[in-house]
């Protein structure tokens, strides 16, 4: 049956149930039993990423763009591909400097029709899916985390497959659990996370790889370690202490850590994280031996970080008030990532170790503090 006729039939069926508390039309239409391949018309339909000539650039949509990583990635990609080729999106109103830095639109990943219109109307070719509830926040609202991290992902996968997008979905150290090897943790091993965040990220990895093998979707995924950045506030993750310590150290000279002093976790400075994301997205498909990679830069404990911070601020007072929920999460996560496959396949290499990270954070926060005092 031609696709148009098939959709018309489903639309009629969907309209018949609109008054009875059933699914809305757009959702009912998606529940028809056809594969994403059948949505495309034409005998030469392909679900691999669009290929670009040297003079062309991808048209990029970033969901969840006002989180820790979205604004920075948009800035990096706009330098590379042009200001108007990268669209930042979120459900929140952007601050003025973000709104005026390049295209920004409202996008709710739970609204399938809205997402589809954005992709079609803007001729999107790359989709970076950053919308998610992080580990600690997710545990406090499991129902919302399930909706955003799983249902939202399904919308993204279907639209990416239908329109032949190159799709990036980040994963995390939280995709592993207490039965995973922790030091080091390889790309392929047992994954039994015990948070809704971790469970949803394992689901994302497997669904993305399934869509790649089943429909040819150009799915790419990096397992991020804890990401440290100076120009964004912590977003509810278990590794947030490694960001907050710098702000508190500069403002008050004191910091209360919610993890034990010997809790070792993989970490990375944001510039390395964003560059890795761009590099894996630009990597030729034929050199990728897998679709989900670990990436890493360093591993440290709160006490080791405090020692490095005291080289800049010797009077820092560090105390510990352990959050048992976050500590339990951290104790189930990798202590160190094995990222040898990323380094061998597409040449991943980090720039920031712990001393460079600490110096860079203080340079940024110190200058920001001086500007604030001057104002």
């Amino acid at each position: 049956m031609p696709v148009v006729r098939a959709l018309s039939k489903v639309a009629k069926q969907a309209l018949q149930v609109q008054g009875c508390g059933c699914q809305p039309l757009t959702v009912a239409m998606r529940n028809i039993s056809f594969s994403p391949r059948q949505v495309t018309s034409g005998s030469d339909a392909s679900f691999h990423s669009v290929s670009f000539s040297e003079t062309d650039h991808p048209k990029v949509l970033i969901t969840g763009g006002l989180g820790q990583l979205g604004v920075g990635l948009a800035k990096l990609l706009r330098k590379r591909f042009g200001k108007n080729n990268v669209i930042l999106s979120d459900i929140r109103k952007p601050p003025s400097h973000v709104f005026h830095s390049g295209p920004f639109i409202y996008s709710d990943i739970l609204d399938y029709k809205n997402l589809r219109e954005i992709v079609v109307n803007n001729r999107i070719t790359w989709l970076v899916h950053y919308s998610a509830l992080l580990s600690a926040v997710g545990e406090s609202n499991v129902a919302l985390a399930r909706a955003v991290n799983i249902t939202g992902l399904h919308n993204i996968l279907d639209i990416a497959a239908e329109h032949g997008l190159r799709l990036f979905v980040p994963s995390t150290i939280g995709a592993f659990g207490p039965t995973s090897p922790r030091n080091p943790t390889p790309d392929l091993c047992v994954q039994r996370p015990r948070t809704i965040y971790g469970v949803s990220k394992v689901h994302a990895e497997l669904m993305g790889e399934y869509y790649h093998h089943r429909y040819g979707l150009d799915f790419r995924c990096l397992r991020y370690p804890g990401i440290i950045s100076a120009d964004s506030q912590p977003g509810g993750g278990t590794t947030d202490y490694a960001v907050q310590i710098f702000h508190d150290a500069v403002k008050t000279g004191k910091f209360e850590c919610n993890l034990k002093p010997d809790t070792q976790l993989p970490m990375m400075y944001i510039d390395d994280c964003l560059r890795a994301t761009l590099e894996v997205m630009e990597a030729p498909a034929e050199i990728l031996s897998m679709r989900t990679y670990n990436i890493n830069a360093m591993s440290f404990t709160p006490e080791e970080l405090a020692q490095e911070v005291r080289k800049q601020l010797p009077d820092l007072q560090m105390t510990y008030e352990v959050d048992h929920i976050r500590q339990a999460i951290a104790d189930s996560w990798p202590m160190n990532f094995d990222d040898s496959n990323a380094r061998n396949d597409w040449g991943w290499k980090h720039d920031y170790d712990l001393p460079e990270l600490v110096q860079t954070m203080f340079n940024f926060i110190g200058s920001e503090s001086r500007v604030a005092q001057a104002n």
Side-chain angles (χ1 to χ4, degrees), residues 1-12 29 32 34 38-42:
M1 177 184 295
V3 173
V4 174
R5 288 178 58 197
L7 291 177
S8 298
K9 182 178 179 181
V10 177
K12 291 177 181 177
M29 288 179 67
I32 185 173
F34 55 75
Q38 293 173 294
V39 179
T40 320
S41 61

Side-chain angles (χ1 to χ4, degrees), residues 23-101:
Q23 298 174 350
L25 173 60
T26 53
V27 176
M29 288 179 67
R30 292 173 58 219
N31 286 343
I32 185 173
S33 58
F34 55 75
S35 73
R37 287 182 181 271
Q38 293 173 294
V39 179
T40 320
S41 61
S43 58
D44 59 346
S46 171
F47 285 83
H48 292 282
S49 174
V50 177
S51 60
F52 305 101
S53 70
E54 291 184 358
T55 58
D56 290 331
H57 291 307
K59 193 68 177 288
V60 185
L61 173 67
I62 303 174
T63 68
L66 296 182
Q68 183 186 19
L69 301 176
V71 174
L73 184 65
K75 183 178 180 180
L76 178 65
L77 296 182
R78 284 167 179 163
K79 286 182 180 179
R80 184 77 164 214
F81 303 130
K83 176 179 176 180
N84 292 325
N85 286 323
V86 180
I87 300 174
L88 205 58
S89 73
D90 209 302
I91 60 173
R92 295 177 291 158
K93 184 170 68 175
S96 179
H97 74 278
V98 173
F99 183 77
H100 293 291
S101 66

Side-chain angles (χ1 to χ4, degrees), residues 63-321:
T63 68
L66 296 182
Q68 183 186 19
L69 301 176
V71 174
L73 184 65
K75 183 178 180 180
L76 178 65
L77 296 182
R78 284 167 179 163
K79 286 182 180 179
R80 184 77 164 214
F81 303 130
K83 176 179 176 180
N84 292 325
N85 286 323
V86 180
I87 300 174
L88 205 58
S89 73
D90 209 302
I91 60 173
R92 295 177 291 158
K93 184 170 68 175
S96 179
H97 74 278
V98 173
F99 183 77
H100 293 291
S101 66
F104 181 94
I105 59 176
Y106 173 89
S107 175
D108 180 357
I109 62 166
L110 296 179
D111 186 339
Y112 179 82
K113 183 176 182 290
N114 169 246
L115 270 176
R116 203 161 182 252
E117 287 177 348
I118 291 170
V119 167
V120 170
N121 292 343
N122 295 281
R123 304 183 71 245
I124 298 300
T125 53
W126 284 15
L127 203 165
V128 178
H129 180 49
Y130 273 155
S131 296
L133 262 66
L134 301 184
S135 55
V137 173
E139 289 306 290
S140 66
N141 195 337
V142 172
L144 181 61
R146 188 174 63 234
V148 172
N149 295 7
I150 296 179
T151 304
L153 169 77
H154 294 171
N155 289 341
I156 293 291
L157 286 169
D158 286 348
I159 290 169
E162 177 182 347
H163 295 285
L165 310 185
R166 180 170 296 181
L167 173 63
F168 178 82
V169 179
S171 189
T172 166
I173 54 175
F176 299 94
T179 57
S180 305
R182 298 186 66 213
N183 192 16
T185 303
D187 285 303
L188 300 176
C189 65
V190 172
Q191 291 178 257
R192 290 294 184 272
R194 292 186 177 176
T195 65
I196 186 61
Y197 177 59
V199 169
S200 69
K201 285 303 183 180
V202 174
H203 179 76
E205 295 175 13
L206 295 177
M207 287 294 289
E209 292 178 14
Y210 172 77
Y211 268 61
H212 170 67
H213 293 295
R214 179 68 175 82
Y215 303 121
L217 174 65
D218 192 350
F219 170 81
R220 302 176 184 213
C221 176
L222 297 178
R223 294 192 187 106
Y224 290 159
I227 304 301
I228 301 173
S229 59
D231 58 348
S232 60
Q233 293 300 311
T238 301
T239 57
D240 281 354
Y241 85 88
V243 177
Q244 194 63 50
I245 185 175
F246 294 98
H247 294 279
D248 290 2
V250 170
K251 290 179 182 178
T252 68
K254 301 177 182 179
F255 178 65
E256 183 179 273
C257 183
N258 53 27
L259 295 181
K260 295 177 181 178
D262 60 348
T263 305
Q264 180 177 320
L265 292 168
M267 300 283 186
M268 179 178 288
Y269 185 57
I270 188 170
D271 285 9
D272 277 340
C273 172
L274 299 179
R275 180 171 54 82
T277 303
L278 174 58
E279 287 178 1
V280 78
M281 284 295 279
E282 289 192 312
E286 59 270 16
I287 71 171
L288 302 179
S289 65
M290 54 186 63
R291 288 286 157 166
T292 300
Y293 289 91
N294 294 344
I295 54 168
N296 197 22
M298 65 194 91
S299 289
F300 56 75
T301 67
E303 182 57 35
E304 289 169 343
L305 177 58
Q307 290 174 6
E308 194 66 36
V309 168
R310 288 191 181 104
K311 294 179 182 179
Q312 304 285 332
L313 293 176
D315 295 331
L316 172 68
Q317 298 178 33
M318 181 93 154
T319 58
Y320 294 88
E321 184 66 34

